[in-house]
Amino acid sequence: MTGDRDRDASRRPRQARPRDALGRPLPYGSAGVEPVPEEPLPPEQTLTSARSLVEAGRPFAAHEVLEARWKAGPEGERNLWQGLAQICVGLTHAARGNSVGALRLFERGALRLEDYGSNGGPAYGLDLSAIVCCARDHMRSIRSAGDKD
């Protein structure tokens, strides 16, 4: 750590501060969840890891795994990885009670996946249409819950 922020010697941000399961920073010295590696994984491992993290209630960590892949992957796959990461951030916002943020990220992620799917890039076994439908189902649920308030 350098200065008052978690940065490496190259001044890139690092995950030195402990976090809770939804990615919220905890005080230094607190017990947090196990951080995920910051290095990008191959596509299939990225998806396996992200899926496991979402199933474990850690969508923020899944987003970090997907973000590493999007930043390291080929430009032509950017919308795939970024769209998946944004949907995971939407799940994170929803779990934190931030419906506005959740709606925005679900929509951005769904649009990226629709765009990517229309261009015929590799989907690595994912059913992109089903993921988009799931994101939009989450959006409908959030809006419906807001209507009841």
Side-chain angles (χ1 to χ4, degrees), residues 1-148:
M1 188 171 107
T2 60
D4 63 345
R5 301 213 32 189
D6 297 334
R7 302 221 177 247
D8 65 13
S10 302
R11 304 288 305 145
R12 289 188 307 257
R14 291 294 175 228
Q15 304 176 31
R17 191 165 173 185
R19 294 187 176 270
D20 71 8
L22 293 176
R24 293 175 289 223
L26 298 170
Y28 288 102
S30 297
V33 295
E34 184 71 26
V36 295
E38 295 180 12
E39 296 76 33
L41 301 170
E44 290 81 5
Q45 281 182 273
T46 298
L47 294 172
T48 299
S49 178
R51 183 177 288 122
S52 295
L53 289 162
V54 168
E55 289 170 354
R58 297 185 59 199
F60 182 81
H63 144 265
E64 290 179 323
V65 169
L66 293 160
E67 182 179 54
R69 178 80 241 142
W70 124 43
K71 290 183 176 181
E75 180 64 31
E77 294 182 11
R78 180 183 177 114
N79 276 345
L80 171 66
W81 303 111
Q82 192 171 17
L84 293 169
Q86 287 175 322
I87 288 172
C88 287
V89 175
L91 292 169
T92 302
H93 282 302
R96 290 178 180 175
N98 177 359
S99 59
V100 172
L103 289 169
R104 286 182 182 152
L105 272 295
F106 282 135
E107 183 61 22
R108 288 179 193 164
L111 289 172
R112 284 188 186 280
L113 292 182
E114 286 175 330
D115 181 60
Y116 183 78
S118 70
N119 291 321
Y124 301 100
L126 296 173
D127 182 342
L128 298 180
S129 295
I131 296 169
V132 168
C133 284
C134 186
R136 297 239 160 88
D137 286 346
H138 280 295
M139 293 170 66
R140 278 189 286 281
S141 294
I142 291 168
R143 288 186 181 117
S144 176
D147 291 342
K148 295 174 186 170

